[in-house]
Amino acid sequence: KRTVWIMFFGAEELGTLGSIHFVKHPPEGFSIGKVAAMINLDMVGRSKEKKVMVYGVATGEGFDEVVKAANNPLGLDIKTTADGFGGSDQTAFVNAGVPVLFFFTGSHFDYHKPSDTADKLNVNDQAVVTALVYKSAVTVINAQQRPKFVKIEAPKMSAGMGGVGLGTLPDYSYEGKGLRISGVRGGSAADKAGLKAGDIIIRIGDKKLENIYDYMNALRQAQAGIELPALIVRDGKEMEVKVTPEKR
């Protein structure tokens, strides 16, 4: 019932420049206001334990039910997020009033490294994730009514991170307070501080962390080479470590 465009956006890592440009300057005859939905896949090739994160399920009326129905025969472990904001190409569309679904299977130790090679793809689970996306898309494409957009306010955060980092890999499926990490880069500030997978960072310096946005804001205000105390939760117990942010 609806036309389908398949797109590959450039410059995502530089700040989703390709998708932002497309939304602001669409091809002649293409109206962003007529887009029924934008379905985004970003990092879906290395699923662990059949886990999939789906962002944006509240941006279109009925999207949550669409995804759950699509998953019924597949049995994936799905975690959903209401808003569609995040560091990928769907953000430009949700900002333009387009309902979105963003499928993501989590970060890994080879993220942004040349060691992220094709032999490490979890092809079997990737096929199941593809089925989930396909079934969800077909439901939206053939629905009698186009999905109604629901505006979800973007989480408050300051722009940028001041050019410093700790070398943590966030656990995007975590829904509690603080930032739980799924791993740390070898030789990074986090590694030197003794942080490890499963740790939950709840404070950096004097900044309490409720979520990943608080974490980013704390780093934005930090300085490379200046040691800071960090409060973490490990195995249910609070402990303090010293971290020294490094230039990114």
Side-chain angles (χ1 to χ4, degrees), residues 92-205:
F93 286 81
V94 75
N95 281 333
V98 177
V100 301
L101 287 173
F102 168 32
F103 295 83
F104 172 65
T105 57
S107 193
H108 49 73
F109 285 104
D110 300 302
Y111 178 59
H112 280 183
K113 294 165 66 176
S115 55
D116 189 13
T117 50
D119 58 289
K120 295 177 181 176
L121 289 171
N122 180 353
V123 178
N124 290 334
D125 283 358
Q126 187 177 7
V128 183
V129 174
T130 301
L132 173 70
V133 177
Y134 177 80
K135 288 165 65 68
S136 300
V138 166
T139 300
V140 174
I141 292 164
N142 290 325
Q144 290 296 326
Q145 302 293 328
R146 58 183 287 134
K148 182 180 179 180
F149 175 69
V150 179
K151 184 176 181 179
I152 308 292
E153 291 299 323
K156 294 181 180 179
M157 60 181 292
S158 300
M161 288 195 292
V164 303
L166 299 183
T168 59
L169 297 175
D171 181 349
Y172 293 100
S173 66
Y174 178 64
E175 298 176 344
K177 290 187 176 182
L179 175 86
R180 188 169 70 188
I181 59 178
S182 61
V184 300
R185 298 188 188 282
S188 66
D191 187 31
K192 294 171 185 176
L195 295 177
K196 61 183 183 179
D199 287 345
I200 303 170
I201 307 174
I202 58 176
R203 193 181 71 226
I204 296 177

